[in-house]
Amino acid sequence: MKFKPNQTRTYDGEGFKRRAACLCFRNEKEDEVLLVSSSRHPDQWIVPGGGMEPEEEPCGAAVREVYEEAGVKGKLGRLLGIFEHNQDRKHRTYVYTLIVMEMLDDWEDSVNIGRKRKWFKVDEAIRILQSHKPVHAEYLRRLTNTCNPTCSPTCNTSNCHAPCSQVTDNNSSHCVVCSTQGSDLVNITSSKQFIREDTRMDI
């Protein structure tokens, strides 16, 4: 565990920073996604997300981060996968879908750092993200992949409206974990798949 001026960084047992993010959609068609401007590079767009706090569930961290960074509330959907970054900084990010139900005129990051937000068609968002945030682009490419979130249906987060879901494929559940090391698809067990991507993520 490490401390920053505005948050506590938490790590799992393998030394990965624990993160959560949401793909925020305008509606259930999931054809328009909300991106926010980067705090480090205001001219670039990113998927809202950030580090988990101590004792925080991934689903709770995800909705908190999009509330702080994008100023939205909504209905939390499925877990797309757990995306790993293994290069200079190790991150493990739980990525969820969220249908936006409310948008604030002013929110924490818009007031504090001037962060902006904008709706994009999914194809356009992938193209924009690919140049500087390829792992964020990969989130959008994995929209059809889902697995069980680690949070329970009794998640205490006020914005966590949907129970955790499970999707089956050939009668077996599967969880997608994307890593930056290598480019091979490795079958860990009959019910889980690890997808490795050669990408880099700078938070």
Side-chain angles (χ1 to χ4, degrees), residues 52-136:
M52 297 183 206
E53 296 179 354
E55 308 302 325
E56 191 173 35
E57 296 281 7
C59 63
V63 294
R64 175 183 55 76
E65 285 291 337
V66 298
Y67 180 76
E68 294 173 358
E69 294 193 358
V72 299
K73 298 180 181 180
K75 181 179 179 181
L76 189 68
R78 66 194 183 279
L79 176 65
L80 296 177
I82 305 165
F83 293 75
E84 290 183 354
H85 173 255
N86 283 319
Q87 296 179 1
D88 54 340
R89 290 183 297 168
K90 296 171 65 175
H91 298 91
R92 188 167 278 157
T93 304
Y94 292 75
V95 181
Y96 295 84
T97 62
L98 182 137
I99 305 301
V100 173
M101 309 296 290
E102 180 181 352
M103 299 183 70
L104 304 180
D105 293 330
D106 298 296
W107 64 98
E108 182 174 330
D109 279 7
S110 70
V111 173
N112 293 341
I113 63 174
R115 196 188 295 272
K116 297 177 175 59
R117 66 190 177 195
K118 184 178 178 180
W119 291 105
F120 292 89
K121 292 291 186 181
V122 168
D123 288 347
E124 182 184 8
I126 291 173
R127 178 180 57 80
I128 290 171
L129 293 169
Q130 186 60 46
S131 62
H132 62 277
K133 288 284 188 180
V135 74
H136 287 202

Side-chain angles (χ1 to χ4, degrees), residues 136-149:
H136 287 202
E138 192 63 27
Y139 299 168
L140 288 166
R141 293 194 182 98
R142 302 293 179 191
L143 280 174
T144 59
N145 295 324
T146 60
C147 65
N148 284 334

Side-chain angles (χ1 to χ4, degrees), residues 21 28 42 66 70 82 101 105 113 125 133 155 166 169 175 187-188:
E28 293 182 356
V66 298
I82 305 165
M101 309 296 290
D105 293 330
I113 63 174
K133 288 284 188 180
C155 175
Q166 180 174 351
D169 182 16
C175 181
N187 290 321
I188 303 302

Side-chain angles (χ1 to χ4, degrees), residues 6-7 14 16 32 35 38 45 62 65 68 70 78-79 81 85 108 118 122 141 145 156-157 168 178 180 190 200:
N6 62 341
Q7 77 172 80
E14 296 179 82
F16 285 84
E32 287 185 90
L35 301 182
S38 168
W45 298 100
E65 285 291 337
E68 294 173 358
R78 66 194 183 279
L79 176 65
H85 173 255
E108 182 174 330
K118 184 178 178 180
V122 168
R141 293 194 182 98
N145 295 324
N156 293 323
T157 306
T168 59
C178 298
T180 61
S190 61
R200 172 173 178 155

